[in-house]
PDB file of all heavy atoms in Angstrom:
ATOM      1  N   TYR B  64     103.040 137.676 165.374  1.00  0.00           N
ATOM      2  CA  TYR B  64     102.240 136.608 164.763  1.00  0.00           C
ATOM      3  C   TYR B  64     102.549 135.289 165.503  1.00  0.00           C
ATOM      4  O   TYR B  64     103.629 135.110 166.073  1.00  0.00           O
ATOM      5  CB  TYR B  64     102.480 136.396 163.266  1.00  0.00           C
ATOM      6  CG  TYR B  64     102.209 137.579 162.444  1.00  0.00           C
ATOM      7  CD1 TYR B  64     103.255 138.436 162.029  1.00  0.00           C
ATOM      8  CD2 TYR B  64     100.939 137.853 161.979  1.00  0.00           C
ATOM      9  CE1 TYR B  64     102.975 139.539 161.233  1.00  0.00           C
ATOM     10  CE2 TYR B  64     100.684 138.972 161.160  1.00  0.00           C
ATOM     11  CZ  TYR B  64     101.708 139.786 160.800  1.00  0.00           C
ATOM     12  OH  TYR B  64     101.434 140.912 159.981  1.00  0.00           O
ATOM     13  N   SER B  65     101.594 134.387 165.523  1.00  0.00           N
ATOM     14  CA  SER B  65     101.820 133.037 165.975  1.00  0.00           C
ATOM     15  C   SER B  65     101.033 132.021 165.137  1.00  0.00           C
ATOM     16  O   SER B  65     100.020 132.391 164.548  1.00  0.00           O
ATOM     17  CB  SER B  65     101.450 132.901 167.452  1.00  0.00           C
ATOM     18  OG  SER B  65     100.057 133.038 167.640  1.00  0.00           O
ATOM     19  N   VAL B  66     101.510 130.797 165.104  1.00  0.00           N
ATOM     20  CA  VAL B  66     100.880 129.788 164.323  1.00  0.00           C
ATOM     21  C   VAL B  66     100.831 128.507 165.091  1.00  0.00           C
ATOM     22  O   VAL B  66     101.516 128.336 166.099  1.00  0.00           O
ATOM     23  CB  VAL B  66     101.559 129.520 162.948  1.00  0.00           C
ATOM     24  CG1 VAL B  66     101.476 130.738 162.022  1.00  0.00           C
ATOM     25  CG2 VAL B  66     103.044 129.137 163.187  1.00  0.00           C
ATOM     26  N   SER B  67     100.041 127.512 164.550  1.00  0.00           N
ATOM     27  CA  SER B  67     100.096 126.155 165.097  1.00  0.00           C
ATOM     28  C   SER B  67      99.905 125.221 163.910  1.00  0.00           C
ATOM     29  O   SER B  67      99.355 125.586 162.861  1.00  0.00           O
ATOM     30  CB  SER B  67      98.985 125.945 166.111  1.00  0.00           C
ATOM     31  OG  SER B  67      97.720 126.112 165.524  1.00  0.00           O
ATOM     32  N   ARG B  68     100.363 124.007 164.077  1.00  0.00           N
ATOM     33  CA  ARG B  68     100.209 122.958 163.024  1.00  0.00           C
ATOM     34  C   ARG B  68      99.937 121.649 163.689  1.00  0.00           C
ATOM     35  O   ARG B  68     100.769 120.717 163.671  1.00  0.00           O
ATOM     36  CB  ARG B  68     101.465 122.927 162.139  1.00  0.00           C
ATOM     37  CG  ARG B  68     101.260 122.035 160.904  1.00  0.00           C
ATOM     38  CD  ARG B  68     100.619 122.722 159.746  1.00  0.00           C
ATOM     39  NE  ARG B  68     100.227 121.861 158.674  1.00  0.00           N
ATOM     40  CZ  ARG B  68     101.056 121.468 157.703  1.00  0.00           C
ATOM     41  NH1 ARG B  68     102.370 121.860 157.707  1.00  0.00           N
ATOM     42  NH2 ARG B  68     100.629 120.692 156.732  1.00  0.00           N
ATOM     43  N   GLU B  69      98.725 121.520 164.214  1.00  0.00           N
ATOM     44  CA  GLU B  69      98.329 120.339 164.937  1.00  0.00           C
ATOM     45  C   GLU B  69      97.870 119.235 163.981  1.00  0.00           C
ATOM     46  O   GLU B  69      97.838 118.080 164.305  1.00  0.00           O
ATOM     47  CB  GLU B  69      97.291 120.686 165.983  1.00  0.00           C
ATOM     48  CG  GLU B  69      97.810 121.606 167.114  1.00  0.00           C
ATOM     49  CD  GLU B  69      96.737 122.019 168.061  1.00  0.00           C
ATOM     50  OE1 GLU B  69      95.572 121.516 167.950  1.00  0.00           O
ATOM     51  OE2 GLU B  69      97.053 122.811 169.002  1.00  0.00           O
ATOM     52  N   LYS B  70      97.346 119.697 162.857  1.00  0.00           N
ATOM     53  CA  LYS B  70      96.879 118.731 161.812  1.00  0.00           C
ATOM     54  C   LYS B  70      97.464 119.112 160.483  1.00  0.00           C
ATOM     55  O   LYS B  70      97.767 120.314 160.206  1.00  0.00           O
ATOM     56  CB  LYS B  70      95.322 118.824 161.704  1.00  0.00           C
ATOM     57  CG  LYS B  70      94.581 118.490 162.974  1.00  0.00           C
ATOM     58  CD  LYS B  70      93.074 118.439 162.671  1.00  0.00           C
ATOM     59  CE  LYS B  70      92.551 119.815 162.233  1.00  0.00           C
ATOM     60  NZ  LYS B  70      91.057 119.753 161.995  1.00  0.00           N
ATOM     61  N   LYS B  71      97.643 118.135 159.646  1.00  0.00           N
ATOM     62  CA  LYS B  71      98.262 118.349 158.341  1.00  0.00           C
ATOM     63  C   LYS B  71      97.417 119.364 157.555  1.00  0.00           C
ATOM     64  O   LYS B  71      97.938 120.145 156.772  1.00  0.00           O
ATOM     65  CB  LYS B  71      98.330 117.038 157.592  1.00  0.00           C
ATOM     66  CG  LYS B  71      99.153 117.072 156.330  1.00  0.00           C
ATOM     67  CD  LYS B  71      99.281 115.666 155.769  1.00  0.00           C
ATOM     68  CE  LYS B  71     100.196 115.623 154.594  1.00  0.00           C
ATOM     69  NZ  LYS B  71     100.412 114.291 154.057  1.00  0.00           N
ATOM     70  N   GLU B  72      96.110 119.277 157.704  1.00  0.00           N
ATOM     71  CA  GLU B  72      95.192 120.084 156.852  1.00  0.00           C
ATOM     72  C   GLU B  72      95.094 121.555 157.270  1.00  0.00           C
ATOM     73  O   GLU B  72      94.555 122.348 156.534  1.00  0.00           O
ATOM     74  CB  GLU B  72      93.776 119.496 156.914  1.00  0.00           C
ATOM     75  CG  GLU B  72      93.672 118.013 156.504  1.00  0.00           C
ATOM     76  CD  GLU B  72      94.103 117.017 157.569  1.00  0.00           C
ATOM     77  OE1 GLU B  72      94.143 117.418 158.752  1.00  0.00           O
ATOM     78  OE2 GLU B  72      94.456 115.918 157.214  1.00  0.00           O
ATOM     79  N   SER B  73      95.518 121.843 158.467  1.00  0.00           N
ATOM     80  CA  SER B  73      95.184 123.165 159.027  1.00  0.00           C
ATOM     81  C   SER B  73      96.455 123.899 159.495  1.00  0.00           C
ATOM     82  O   SER B  73      97.294 123.327 160.193  1.00  0.00           O
ATOM     83  CB  SER B  73      94.244 122.948 160.215  1.00  0.00           C
ATOM     84  OG  SER B  73      93.901 124.187 160.819  1.00  0.00           O
ATOM     85  N   PHE B  74      96.462 125.181 159.192  1.00  0.00           N
ATOM     86  CA  PHE B  74      97.636 126.040 159.632  1.00  0.00           C
ATOM     87  C   PHE B  74      97.098 127.444 159.975  1.00  0.00           C
ATOM     88  O   PHE B  74      97.321 128.387 159.178  1.00  0.00           O
ATOM     89  CB  PHE B  74      98.618 126.064 158.479  1.00  0.00           C
ATOM     90  CG  PHE B  74      99.971 126.652 158.785  1.00  0.00           C
ATOM     91  CD1 PHE B  74     100.593 126.418 160.027  1.00  0.00           C
ATOM     92  CD2 PHE B  74     100.671 127.473 157.878  1.00  0.00           C
ATOM     93  CE1 PHE B  74     101.855 126.960 160.301  1.00  0.00           C
ATOM     94  CE2 PHE B  74     101.897 127.996 158.172  1.00  0.00           C
ATOM     95  CZ  PHE B  74     102.491 127.745 159.390  1.00  0.00           C
TER      96      PHE B  74
END
Side-chain angles (χ1 to χ4, degrees):
Chain B
Y64 299 98
S65 66
V66 293
S67 63
R68 187 84 189 277
E69 296 176 2
K70 298 186 299 181
K71 190 175 188 178
E72 302 79 21
S73 180
F74 191 40

